[in-house]
Amino acid sequence: MKIVDIVCSAGRTGFYFDDQRAIKGGAGHDGVFYVGDPRTEGFQAVRQAGESISVMIVLEDGQIAFGDCAAVQYSGAGGRDPLFLAKDFIPIIDQYIKPQLVGKDADNFRELCKMMEAIEVEGKRLHTAIRYGMSQAILDAVAKASGRLMCEVVADEYGCTVSETPVPVFTQSGDDRYNGADKMIIKGAQVLPHALINNVEDKLGKNGEKLAEYIGWLRDRILQFRTDESYCPVMHIDVYGTIGAIFGNNNYAAMADYIGKLGEIAKPFHLRIEGPMDCDCDRETQIEALAGLTRELDERGIDVELVADEWCNTLEDIMLFADRKAGHMVQIKTPDLGGINNTIEAVLYCKAKGIGAYQGGTCNETDRSAQVCVHCAMATQPDQILAKPGMGVDEGYMIVFNEMNRIMAMRKARKALGK
């Protein structure tokens, strides 16, 4: 079935674009706003509304497939592509991508994505956000053209099996880590709470005591309010390199001592620590440090998992971290990888290497990008998937949880009818 048109519309995301350079430079808070001047090119304010582009692929039988282009919260930072504004990039899609896809058969997701990702504008690859949204729309188009679910297209083309059970959902609280945790417990989130421990003095504690106290509070909160003793969520805390900041990025013994204590406090729940150190200099230094701490924990039998995040943005990065066993689990930040074909390959690669696969993303996505990511996850079966978009807990969890259940219900109904 042929593609006959591509139509774009500007949209909003579930969070904001934040100028990371200005924030690190001391921009203050005033309610939800940041106070101060932006420092990153393209920003009109330190915090501004997140933008997306919905890409709609029209098929010759009138069906409409769609995906959403979106970029991470800290757009334009850390070597990422520039700030993603709809007015700047809709013309790119219309001028460079639409002529390449219109008239093509929507019959092969991988091949169409390969073609789309090879398009260059003035010698540069398409913005990661464009490749992200276009690949979602292509997957939906192939699924609609062939009468399959998106997850079934992925399973058929990559030789995997669609899960018959839900993938564990990881919820994130932002700074509202206490009320947010309560919401997660009520909803029965399987992995929680992220917690945003991104400051030593206010959140970790100069000796790590504030995080230890929080984990103890969270443990007791779950035990007090869970309605079923079988509810045993994983605690996953993102510490943004703050443990390395107080003990030293290469002081594996001291970091392992502290992380081991956190693991004991968390019991009977399993603990994961994301981003224990952040080596600002380069990827190789980060890999060496994280691999060293991973070995230290393993050799001492400390039952806490480390999750790679910083310097682990592209498919190439993820493969290197997995090869070097830098962490027990890798976060696969879906928008940073460009096309969702790369997310699929990243999950499958991690699983083949025996490394945990966390199919993540950003709070600054849309309901549609989250739904399509669920289909990828149901086909590739990562260890966990992020509830997104937003930081409100309920909304992101609802979108991801409900899409998984739709998939399972539809496949079950088809099977009952012998289809």
Side-chain angles (χ1 to χ4, degrees), residues 123-143:
K124 296 181 180 180
R125 297 186 72 183
L126 296 168
H127 195 294
T128 50
I130 290 179
R131 290 185 274 133
Y132 189 45
M134 285 300 314
S135 61
Q136 296 165 35
I138 289 169
L139 178 58
D140 192 23
V142 174

Side-chain angles (χ1 to χ4, degrees), residues 319-357:
M319 294 169 73
L320 285 172
F321 274 76
D323 289 343
R324 301 274 292 277
K325 298 194 182 302
H328 302 95
M329 174 179 278
V330 173
Q331 187 194 166
I332 298 160
K333 294 188 282 290
T334 52
D336 280 340
L337 271 71
I340 55 170
N341 48 304
N342 296 318
T343 290
I344 293 163
E345 291 188 19
V347 172
L348 295 176
Y349 191 87
C350 287
K351 292 177 67 175
K353 290 291 183 175
I355 298 293

Side-chain angles (χ1 to χ4, degrees), residues 200 204-209 241-259 261-262 276:
V200 170
L204 185 78
K206 293 182 178 179
N207 297 299
E209 71 282 357
T242 54
I243 293 177
I246 63 172
F247 293 107
N249 288 339
N250 299 112
N251 191 345
Y252 306 141
M255 283 193 287
D257 287 342
Y258 175 65
I259 291 170
K261 290 176 183 177
L262 295 181

Side-chain angles (χ1 to χ4, degrees), residues 27 48 125 136 149 151 219 307 309 348 355 390-391 414 418:
Q48 60 191 66
R125 297 186 72 183
Q136 296 165 35
L149 298 176
C151 57
R219 173 204 63 212
V307 183
D309 181 14
L348 295 176
I355 298 293
M391 287 287 195
R414 286 180 175 178

Side-chain angles (χ1 to χ4, degrees), residues 1 32 39 41 50 137 142 160 220 232 261 274 338 349 397 417:
M1 189 176 297
V32 177
R39 299 189 183 184
E41 184 178 355
V142 174
C160 44
D220 293 343
C232 196
K261 290 176 183 177
E274 182 175 344
Y349 191 87
Y397 184 82
L417 294 172

Side-chain angles (χ1 to χ4, degrees), residues 2-35:
K2 291 192 182 299
I3 296 170
V4 298
D5 200 3
I6 293 177
V7 180
C8 294
S9 65
R12 295 296 196 199
T13 63
F15 205 65
Y16 309 98
F17 287 134
D18 288 340
D19 183 347
Q20 188 181 63
R21 187 176 301 160
I23 293 169
K24 286 185 174 181
H29 266 297
D30 183 353
V32 177
F33 295 95
Y34 279 102
V35 179

